[in-house]
Amino acid sequence: MNDTTTIPILPVLSAAGLVKSFGGVVAVNEAAIEVVPGSITGLIGPNGAGKTTLFNLLSNFIHPDRGRVIFDGEPIQNLPPHEITQRGMVRTFQVARVLSRLSVLENMLLAAQQQTGENFWSTWFLGGRIAKEEREARDRAMEILASIGLVEKAQDYAGGLSGGQRKLLEIARALMTRPKLILLDEPAAGVNPTLIHQICEYIGDRNRQGMSFLIIEHNMDVIMSLCDRVYVLAEGSNLAVGTPSEIQTNPNVLEAYLGQ
Amino acid sequence: MPNLQVNLATLAHRDLGPLGMNRYGSCPLLRYDFNTDSPPLPLRSMVGYLVSLIVLTAIYALFSLGLNLHWGFTGLINFGHAAFLAIGAYTTVLLSLAGVPIGLAALAGGALAALLGLAIGVSTLRLREDYLAIVTIGVSELIRLMALNEEWLTKGSFGVQGYDLPLADFRPTVATRIGMIAILGAIAALSGWRLWQWMVRRLRGVDRAQLGQTALVLAGYVASLVVLFSGIGMTSRALKLANTLPGGVLILLLLGAIVAVGWLYGWIARRLIIPKLPHWEAGAVLLSTIALSAFGFWIFGVSAVALYNYRENPSRNGLMFLALITVAVTFWALERLVRSPWGRVLKAIREDEQVAKALGKNVFAYKLQSLMIGGFIAGWRGVSGLAVEYGISAQFRDANHL
């Protein structure tokens, strides 16, 4: 991969030669992707192009047949998913998954990393430290919930949230892990236009504070307004890469989307 | 009173199955009244009977607490909890027969049950969740067959018998007995306080006067049901007597009237009054709190009487004391655990383990811990000598029906 980026810094995430087949179907075929720190990188492609599978390969929810994923300078393709999250790369799901019978606040608290209280023995002997960590995590969770507009719902069951609010909670929860990079799988899917606008603004805000994003999205307005670079995937392989305006005028991309 | 002792001793063993029924399907309490030459004091025999019932309840409570950690909090589908119970029970009893102190033997029982959890977990927890269900059924059946057939070790279907019950030789002074009663009292008070807190939480913001009205109507409704069913019972009894007794018709008419009144009041309450009541759930909360408190107070009274008359049946009363303490301690420990961040991870796994994984939790390790701790709880209740309750093979059979 020899891309045109002139910034001489290492990508926070780079993957190359990723292959995954299910039986005879090659879902991802020699795909490659790079995310520059502090950027919002988009990933688009027609239905069935393998975008979500590529996400699963990056976060190792599905183990790749071949290929290599480097995050923050270290190979992660053989790490279990939870360790990848612990290293600072967190993912969300295409259909928002919330923990229904836990409160919104509990959903947030769960996401905090390196909690002393999550160790069985510590729960017995380190009560004071756990209480202190819980207070801090709570404050931080309420802060994030306030910024994303869910603070009123903090004590409600997450199962009672609307589709759009679930998307917001997923993003908030991902932020709670203090990540270096967030992989968002269709943050605007099934969300009303007002809320889409709000989600986009929020992602933009966080990005200006230094957070990197990799976003799968079908909504072109979202991609065009947010992304610095866009990768196009078709039939499991890279089709094109460039700025949003370059992609929009790329004949290959138009062909992949609309047919000849 | 030797007769009473003998009867309670038989009651202590296999004769008393679940629900306090003996194998002939009748209640032992009634048998004392009718079959013994010198009837024991009704109060004493009732206390002995209730003490047995308390011990049984404690066994199943511990069983359920362990299972609830698996199913309720972690979402692990465990169909073979009886296997943990059996391993724990046999280990405890066999070790104590070999001369190991009961406390150590019970810990070993718990540890071995936890190891069984480890073995099951390591082999199945990384597969889809159905496999845990399949394997737990298989393992519990395996262990049941082993217990049944390895007669050199387990005495087969006879079950291991003739071991010492804990505290059987314990002869507490009055001060000690009062101390024991005080400990149970503290547990009862704590439970009552929690119940009270629950009620207060549920009744917040409900108008007092309306609540009183509602509770009264509901109490009347419940009373009408009691009248109705006992009336039906008495009527059917009277029907049998009516052939032989003169004036039986009158009795029948009277009882029929009772049934009719109970039914009519119940119908009116249910159809016309209850639906119009504001906050009828709040009334139900209030009523059930009162009923539970009264019941708990009664049970505490019974156990206090039993403990005060400790000599009447030392092993049984000691067993009850240890059992109640074990349940209380286990419950407290589990509550603390499931309210900790550790418990939050378990609940997250129950709700959606992909999310837990995506948020950096080692799902496999937590499932394994849950399986082992739930197993330990099923196994360690030997600490209170509960393993020895009515012969351990019989207990295992019963538990396997769950």
Side-chain angles (χ1 to χ4, degrees), chain A residues 61 81-82 85-86 90 93 97 99-102 106 109-110 112-113 115 117-118 120 123-124 134 173, chain B residues 332-333 336-337 340-342 344-345 347-348 350-352 354-355 357-362 366 369 373:
Chain A
F61 269 65
H82 64 267
T85 306
Q86 287 164 8
V90 63
F93 296 91
R97 298 174 93 143
L99 308 166
S100 307
R101 282 177 294 175
L102 266 59
E106 281 177 309
L109 292 178
L110 179 81
Q113 297 298 300
Q115 298 183 50
E118 288 185 352
F120 174 74
T123 53
W124 301 106
E134 282 285 285
R173 214 169 50 185
Chain B
W332 169 80
R336 183 179 168 139
L337 265 179
S340 72
W342 185 84
R344 192 162 58 213
V345 178
K347 288 180 228 168
R350 173 193 71 197
E351 295 298 311
D352 190 333
Q354 298 298 327
V355 170
K357 221 187 270 180
L359 294 178
K361 313 302 170 196
N362 187 347
Y366 280 100
Q369 288 176 44
I373 293 163

Side-chain angles (χ1 to χ4, degrees), chain A residues 12-13 35-36 39 71 88-91 177-183 211-214:
Chain A
V12 60
L13 175 75
V35 180
V36 179
S39 74
F71 174 70
M89 184 172 104
V90 63
R91 63 161 304 173
T177 65
R178 294 188 192 276
K180 298 187 180 108
L181 169 66
I182 302 182
L183 310 185
M211 183 75 65
S212 318
F213 288 91
L214 175 60

Side-chain angles (χ1 to χ4, degrees), chain A:
Chain A
M1 287 295 296
N2 197 2
D3 57 52
T4 52
T5 315
T6 49
I7 310 163
I9 41 176
L10 282 172
V12 60
L13 175 75
S14 80
L18 284 173
V19 178
K20 180 71 196 177
S21 47
F22 300 105
V25 182
V26 184
V28 173
N29 190 8
E30 300 287 337
I33 200 162
E34 268 188 16
V35 180
V36 179
S39 74
I40 301 180
T41 305
L43 179 60
I44 64 171
N47 287 325
K51 304 181 294 294
T52 297
T53 309
L54 180 59
F55 253 38
N56 282 330
L57 296 181
L58 293 174
S59 55
N60 216 356
F61 269 65
I62 298 173
H63 195 71
D65 297 339
R66 262 205 327 274
R68 155 178 82 75
V69 184
I70 311 270
F71 174 70
D72 214 14
E74 287 183 53
I76 58 166
Q77 70 270 16
N78 290 320
L79 291 181
H82 64 267
E83 280 184 30
I84 294 177
T85 306
Q86 287 164 8
R87 286 180 180 216
M89 184 172 104
V90 63
R91 63 161 304 173
T92 66
F93 296 91
Q94 189 170 358
V95 177
R97 298 174 93 143
V98 296
L99 308 166
S100 307
R101 282 177 294 175
L102 266 59
S103 72
V104 169
L105 182 61
E106 281 177 309
N107 267 267
M108 294 293 287
L109 292 178
L110 179 81
Q113 297 298 300
Q114 290 171 339
Q115 298 183 50
T116 312
E118 288 185 352
N119 179 291
F120 174 74
W121 299 111
S122 306
T123 53
W124 301 106
F125 305 116
L126 299 173
R129 200 160 114 197
I130 293 169
K132 183 165 163 280
E133 283 182 14
E134 282 285 285
R135 270 198 306 278
E136 286 166 5
R138 209 187 156 85
D139 290 346
R140 203 155 64 82
M142 292 307 268
E143 213 173 278
I144 296 175
L145 285 177
S147 71
I148 210 164
L150 280 178
V151 76
E152 309 280 305
K153 300 271 180 187
Q155 303 301 338
D156 295 1
Y157 281 118
L161 296 183
S162 72
Q165 288 169 331
R166 283 169 194 235
K167 287 276 180 193
L168 288 176
L169 178 57
E170 270 219 325
I171 297 173
R173 214 169 50 185
L175 284 167
M176 190 71 192
T177 65
R178 294 188 192 276
K180 298 187 180 108
L181 169 66
I182 302 182
L183 310 185
L184 294 175
D185 198 343
E186 300 201 19
V191 177
N192 72 57
T194 322
L195 208 52
I196 289 181
H197 183 69
Q198 194 190 330
I199 290 175
C200 285
E201 252 178 25
Y202 194 73
I203 294 172
D205 268 358
R206 286 284 162 168
N207 178 248
R208 279 186 285 283
Q209 291 165 27
M211 183 75 65
S212 318
F213 288 91
L214 175 60
I215 302 178
I216 294 181
E217 188 50 67
H218 277 298
N219 186 322
M220 281 305 148
D221 293 340
V222 173
I223 291 286
M224 296 307 147
S225 66
L226 280 178
C227 294
D228 307 315
R229 277 164 68 74
V230 178
Y231 282 81
V232 185
L233 214 60
E235 292 172 8
S237 310
N238 292 57
L239 184 73
V241 56
T243 63
S245 49
E246 283 167 14
I247 291 298
Q248 246 174 339
T249 51
N250 186 321
N252 289 338
V253 175
L254 291 174
E255 190 187 311
Y257 267 94
L258 303 172
Q260 281 175 309

Side-chain angles (χ1 to χ4, degrees), chain B residues 88-386:
Chain B
Y90 276 106
T91 308
T92 308
V93 167
L94 292 174
L95 280 182
S96 82
L97 272 181
V100 178
I102 183 81
L104 274 182
L107 277 182
L112 227 65
L115 275 181
L116 178 72
L118 183 70
I120 294 176
V122 164
S123 54
T124 55
L125 281 181
R126 274 171 292 198
L127 302 171
R128 226 174 44 209
E129 57 192 16
D130 325 28
Y131 290 94
L132 179 68
I134 297 166
V135 168
T136 49
I137 293 177
V139 166
S140 81
E141 206 42 18
L142 209 68
I143 285 176
R144 189 181 68 82
L145 286 174
M146 266 162 60
L148 207 60
N149 291 303
E150 298 299 319
E151 296 190 348
W152 59 274
L153 185 66
T154 63
K155 308 285 185 295
S157 57
F158 289 107
V160 187
Q161 285 175 9
Y163 32 75
D164 294 331
L165 290 160
L167 299 189
D169 303 324
F170 187 46
R171 294 289 175 274
T173 61
V174 177
T176 316
R177 280 180 273 161
I178 289 176
M180 289 161 96
I181 292 173
I183 292 175
L184 282 197
I187 293 175
L190 217 64
S191 324
W193 186 60
R194 283 186 67 120
L195 188 65
W196 176 258
Q197 278 184 320
W198 171 77
M199 187 191 75
V200 168
R201 237 190 354 264
R202 294 296 303 267
L203 296 187
R204 200 165 285 155
V206 177
D207 180 68
R208 287 278 173 83
Q210 282 179 342
L211 181 65
Q213 265 178 0
T214 311
L216 270 180
V217 173
L218 283 179
Y221 177 56
V222 173
S224 81
L225 287 182
V226 172
V227 166
L228 179 62
F229 283 110
S230 55
I232 289 173
M234 285 191 288
T235 311
S236 58
R237 223 177 131 79
L239 268 175
K240 277 186 188 165
L241 298 175
N243 292 331
T244 52
L245 276 180
V249 181
L250 190 65
I251 297 177
L252 263 182
L253 278 177
L254 265 174
L255 292 176
I258 292 177
V259 171
V261 167
W263 180 80
L264 193 69
Y265 184 77
W267 189 86
I268 291 173
R270 186 166 53 83
R271 277 306 189 75
L272 303 177
I273 307 179
I274 293 177
K276 286 185 192 149
L277 286 175
H279 318 294
W280 74 269
E281 302 95 337
V285 165
L286 183 67
L287 268 192
S288 53
T289 305
I290 292 171
L292 270 174
S293 313
F295 183 71
F297 191 73
W298 180 56
I299 290 290
F300 169 66
V302 168
S303 50
V305 168
L307 280 181
Y308 192 76
N309 299 319
Y310 196 85
R311 276 151 211 259
E312 297 277 323
N313 194 339
S315 57
R316 176 141 303 268
N317 292 333
L319 209 55
M320 177 193 68
F321 181 68
L322 288 177
L324 287 176
I325 286 187
T326 312
V327 171
V329 168
T330 310
F331 181 78
W332 169 80
L334 275 176
E335 278 291 288
R336 183 179 168 139
L337 265 179
V338 299
R339 279 158 205 272
S340 72
W342 185 84
R344 192 162 58 213
V345 178
L346 292 196
K347 288 180 228 168
I349 292 170
R350 173 193 71 197
E351 295 298 311
D352 190 333
E353 65 176 81
Q354 298 298 327
V355 170
K357 221 187 270 180
L359 294 178
K361 313 302 170 196
N362 187 347
V363 170
F364 174 67
Y366 280 100
K367 281 179 166 182
L368 205 56
Q369 288 176 44
S370 165
L371 206 56
M372 288 178 72
I373 293 163
F376 181 84
I377 291 166
W380 102 300
R381 93 219 162 296
V383 139
S384 54
L386 296 182

